[in-house]
Amino acid sequence: MLSAGLLDKNPRSAPSCSSHQATRKADLSVKILSTLIWRSTLLLAAFGSAGCSARTAGSAELRSLTPASAAAVDESARTFMHTVAHDVTQEGPLAWLKFFNTGPEFFMAVNGQLAFPNAAAAKEGTQNFARTINRIDLTWGDDLRVDPLTAERAVVAASWREIQVDKAGHRIEEAGYFTGLAEYRDGRWRFRDAHWSAPISPPPAR
């Protein structure tokens, strides 16, 4: 066997070749490992940067509402609420359509039930209701509260009293509590969502 003879005459040939191959494999492994570590480091740095950016943006948004800007939002939202009561009383139920967001995000709940799931339903329902009403008087209580969230959003809440006179002359008087999320968009405030609640009459005594 010629191959076996050559190996026998040069006993160092085989170990030397194996050693060289092993060294090349080790170098290759080191390079691959270095590349993986480098890529992992870049990914971690990218994620860390994105996380820091998100936190910084969020923190900046919160910090942007200074006491002065919060006071301005409070005053503006209160003026909005008074305008709502005034216009609804003077113009009737259709005035509500000026104060509802027109996007699909709008909804209104009444006494724990979803009355309007979106702006389109609110428009249709308000128009139908307006056909049955001759006059409506809306009054907010003196307990009106405003919770400024950002420069464009604020939670508003107040007790309310409403007197309705329908087309037949029947008078209905109701009272309860109102909460809503007001949003400043396109130079004016509108309700992004709203909830009306009225006291539940106690069940009759047995």
Side-chain angles (χ1 to χ4, degrees):
M1 296 176 61
L2 181 59
S3 298
L6 291 175
L7 289 176
D8 290 341
K9 292 180 180 179
N10 300 281
R12 295 182 181 180
S13 298
S16 176
C17 182
S18 299
S19 176
H20 180 65
Q21 292 177 347
T23 301
R24 290 182 59 188
K25 290 181 179 180
D27 291 341
L28 182 60
S29 298
V30 170
K31 289 181 179 180
I32 293 174
L33 182 60
S34 299
T35 301
L36 291 175
I37 293 175
W38 177 71
R39 290 179 179 174
S40 299
T41 302
L42 287 180
L43 287 174
L44 289 174
F47 286 134
S49 176
C52 289
S53 298
R55 288 192 295 270
T56 301
S59 299
E61 182 179 359
L62 293 176
R63 287 197 302 268
S64 66
L65 199 60
T66 62
S69 59
V73 171
D74 183 287
E75 181 179 0
S76 181
R78 288 178 183 275
T79 299
F80 164 67
M81 289 291 284
H82 291 307
T83 300
V84 169
H86 174 272
D87 287 9
V88 169
T89 300
Q90 293 298 316
E91 303 172 21
L94 290 179
W96 278 112
L97 298 180
K98 300 187 298 183
F99 306 118
F100 295 158
N101 265 11
T102 57
E105 70 279 357
F106 177 81
F107 68 92
M108 178 183 287
V110 178
N111 287 337
Q113 295 185 347
L114 187 62
F116 302 136
N118 51 52
K123 181 178 181 179
E124 181 181 0
T126 302
Q127 290 173 338
N128 291 337
F129 176 65
R131 297 189 185 98
T132 68
I133 295 296
N134 189 45
R135 178 174 176 78
I136 184 170
D137 294 318
L138 173 64
T139 304
W140 303 120
D142 295 332
D143 56 352
L144 173 61
R145 303 179 64 172
V146 176
D147 182 16
L149 303 179
T150 69
E152 293 81 25
R153 292 183 182 180
V155 174
V156 293
S159 58
W160 58 273
R161 183 172 296 277
E162 191 173 76
I163 300 173
Q164 302 174 10
V165 180
D166 63 18
K167 296 294 185 180
H170 299 126
R171 176 189 172 100
I172 301 174
E173 185 170 347
E174 297 178 313
Y177 202 79
F178 172 88
T179 58
L181 177 62
E183 183 174 48
Y184 191 80
R185 181 190 298 180
D186 299 328
R188 57 182 297 183
W189 288 98
R190 290 185 178 90
F191 289 114
R192 185 179 176 91
D193 56 65
H195 179 253
W196 300 84
S197 62
I200 300 176
S201 301
R206 294 182 178 180

